[in-house]
C-alpha cells in the first residue's frame, strides 16, 4: 500500500499483534531516503489514537511501519497539540 505525498484520508485495516486495528491515513510526509512520517487516526481495542509513525520502503517498493513513532490517545491530543504550538513559537 504505497501512497506518496498527501493522500485523501482513507480507511484500511490490518492486524496489530494479532488484533484487528482500523486506520485512517491523514497524510504521508516525505522524510527522505525512502522514509515517510505517516499521520493517521487509528482504533485499537475500542480506543482511538492519533498515530505518528515512520514508515520505510521495503525491497518491493511498499511502505512498511517501523517501531519509531507514537500513538497518542484522543484524551491527550489537545495537550500535545498545545505543546507542539508552543514549540513552534520557540522555533521561529
Amino acid at each position: 500500500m504505497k501512497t506518496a505525498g498527501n493522500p485523501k484520508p482513507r480507511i484500511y485495516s490490518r492486524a496489530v499483534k494479532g488484533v484487528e486495528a482500523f486506520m485512517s491515513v491523514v497524510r504521508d510526509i516525505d522524510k527522505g531516503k525512502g522514509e515517510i512520517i505517516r499521520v493517521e487516526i487509528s482504533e485499537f481495542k475500542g480506543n482511538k489514537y492519533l498515530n505518528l509513525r515512520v514508515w520505510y520502503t521495503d525491497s518491493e517498493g511498499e511502505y512498511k511501519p517501523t517501531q519509531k513513532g507514537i500513538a497518542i490517545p484522543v484524551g491527550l491530543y489537545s495537550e500535545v497539540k498545545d505543546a507542539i504550538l508552543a514549540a513552534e513559537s520557540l522555533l521561529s
Side-chain angles (χ1 to χ4, degrees), residues 4-20:
N6 300 323
K8 292 180 180 178
R10 66 190 191 287
I11 298 172
Y12 68 99
S13 67
R14 66 181 166 100
V16 177
K17 296 183 180 178
V19 177
E20 190 71 14

Side-chain angles (χ1 to χ4, degrees), residues 4-76:
N6 300 323
K8 292 180 180 178
R10 66 190 191 287
I11 298 172
Y12 68 99
S13 67
R14 66 181 166 100
V16 177
K17 296 183 180 178
V19 177
E20 190 71 14
F22 296 93
M23 285 52 163
S24 176
V25 176
V26 176
R27 180 169 293 170
D28 289 337
I29 302 166
D30 186 14
K31 190 176 177 215
K33 297 185 181 178
E35 292 184 325
I36 59 170
I37 299 169
R38 178 161 286 173
V39 180
E40 62 189 357
I41 304 299
S42 61
E43 186 173 331
F44 183 70
K45 293 186 176 180
N47 298 306
K48 288 188 178 183
Y49 299 91
L50 171 63
N51 194 9
L52 308 171
R53 186 149 315 276
V54 175
W55 292 55
Y56 72 96
T57 307
D58 70 7
S59 60
E60 296 176 4
E62 297 293 317
Y63 283 125
K64 303 287 181 173
T66 70
Q67 292 182 350
K68 300 173 190 173
I70 184 169
I72 302 165
V74 170
L76 293 178

